[in-house]
Amino acid sequence: MTAFRPIPRLRGRVEYRKTGSNTLWGFEDWSITRGADGLRVMAAHCEMTLTGGDGAHQNVVRDSVLSVHPDFHPHDAFVRIMREGAVTGTGWFRFTDSEATCESWTRDEGRVSQSIPIERPIRGFGIHAVQGDGWLASTFPYHKGVGHRQFFGRNLLHSVHHLGATGPMITTSGSGLDYVGRETITVPAGTFDCHHVAFVGLTNAHPPYDMWVSGDGDFLYVRGVVSGYMDSTFELAELSREHGS
């Protein structure tokens, strides 16, 4: 009988704080494993309480699982959303070289079945966990140097809500990335050599957003700064590496 061997795992926590007051308004606990088939699998639990741009108070709990191929093309995903303590939607997503499908239920829309054509590789699939945002920057051509801009006309994500609090179902938005450069930054979890990118051309009225992701090929989300009504800083507060034995 073959002995059980745990899969090596990365674990992290990202804290969401108001930039001016340092008030904690949310957090995200995530883990990443890599299976024998090469798929990276991320599980993220997010809890948030924030006053939105319309002044409305929002309490959101979101659980997500996303797996990606070695080139970060998505394989499948699951998203479950709670608002104000009640489940408002759950959804399962599957991606091939040519098709994205969704089977979900939402409190507002009921049962939802979707299938849309895609061409591999797509940029990724937005699950609104900020570590997922880091993976959205994984296929950017950093070798083209500082100042390079790449626009993505049809990004797939489960919700265009800024906290990912609607759906889940396949929706699309447009955005791009500007490469600001390579920077070494220090956050509570440590010091990291990072790629600094800025989101541009956001079509869902998202406030300006800068992001720093690790330059080691894992594209860990190290820091994010969002201005506008969110006025928030997102930082990697904890990081651990668990090795299989």
Side-chain angles (χ1 to χ4, degrees):
M1 180 177 179
T2 303
F4 170 70
R5 298 178 63 86
I7 297 174
R9 185 184 306 268
L10 286 167
R11 294 186 187 273
R13 167 171 282 210
V14 180
E15 294 183 341
Y16 310 169
R17 296 182 181 273
K18 282 292 186 178
T19 300
S21 64
N22 204 37
T23 301
L24 182 72
W25 62 267
F27 70 88
E28 172 181 316
D29 288 330
W30 58 259
S31 68
I32 298 173
T33 59
R34 190 182 306 197
D37 58 0
L39 292 180
R40 287 179 169 89
V41 182
M42 175 180 61
H45 174 77
C46 308
E47 299 183 18
M48 299 160 281
T49 301
L50 182 68
T51 300
D54 57 1
H57 174 82
Q58 303 178 75
N59 180 269
V60 180
V61 176
R62 191 181 61 249
D63 289 283
S64 311
V65 178
L66 172 65
S67 67
V68 298
H69 294 274
D71 64 354
F72 288 91
H73 182 79
H75 179 273
D76 58 10
F78 171 81
V79 179
R80 179 180 186 270
I81 301 166
M82 294 181 69
R83 300 186 71 167
E84 308 306 325
V87 176
T88 58
T90 59
W92 173 82
F93 304 85
R94 176 80 169 97
F95 306 89
T96 67
D97 289 355
S98 59
E99 184 181 47
T101 58
C102 167
E103 294 292 337
S104 71
W105 167 89
T106 80
R107 185 175 61 188
D108 295 332
E109 290 86 9
R111 180 65 185 267
V112 177
S113 297
Q114 296 170 285
S115 177
I116 66 171
I118 60 174
E119 293 183 5
R120 184 174 184 157
I122 63 172
R123 177 194 184 188
F125 182 61
I127 59 170
H128 285 276
V130 295
Q131 175 52 47
D133 290 353
W135 280 5
L136 291 178
S138 62
T139 58
F140 186 84
Y142 296 102
H143 66 279
K144 293 188 177 181
V146 173
H148 180 71
R149 173 178 292 189
Q150 183 167 345
F151 187 78
F152 305 90
R154 189 180 71 158
N155 303 311
L156 302 188
L157 64 168
H158 86 259
S159 168
V160 293
H161 188 277
H162 296 167
L163 299 184
T166 55
M169 64 181 68
I170 296 174
T171 60
T172 63
S173 71
S175 71
L177 291 174
D178 271 347
Y179 188 30
V180 180
R182 197 99 178 197
E183 299 176 10
T184 298
I185 66 169
T186 299
V187 295
T191 299
F192 298 84
D193 178 40
C194 294
H195 294 296
H196 177 186
V197 295
F199 285 87
V200 293
L202 293 158
T203 61
N204 66 339
H206 196 286
Y209 183 14
D210 279 52
M211 178 173 68
W212 289 258
V213 297
S214 67
D216 58 3
D218 286 326
F219 299 96
L220 302 182
Y221 189 99
V222 178
R223 175 184 290 159
V225 176
V226 180
S227 57
Y229 82 90
M230 295 184 89
D231 188 28
S232 295
T233 299
F234 307 80
E235 287 190 329
L236 187 61
E238 300 174 12
L239 178 65
S240 64
R241 300 177 184 269
E242 303 171 3
H243 301 283
S245 59

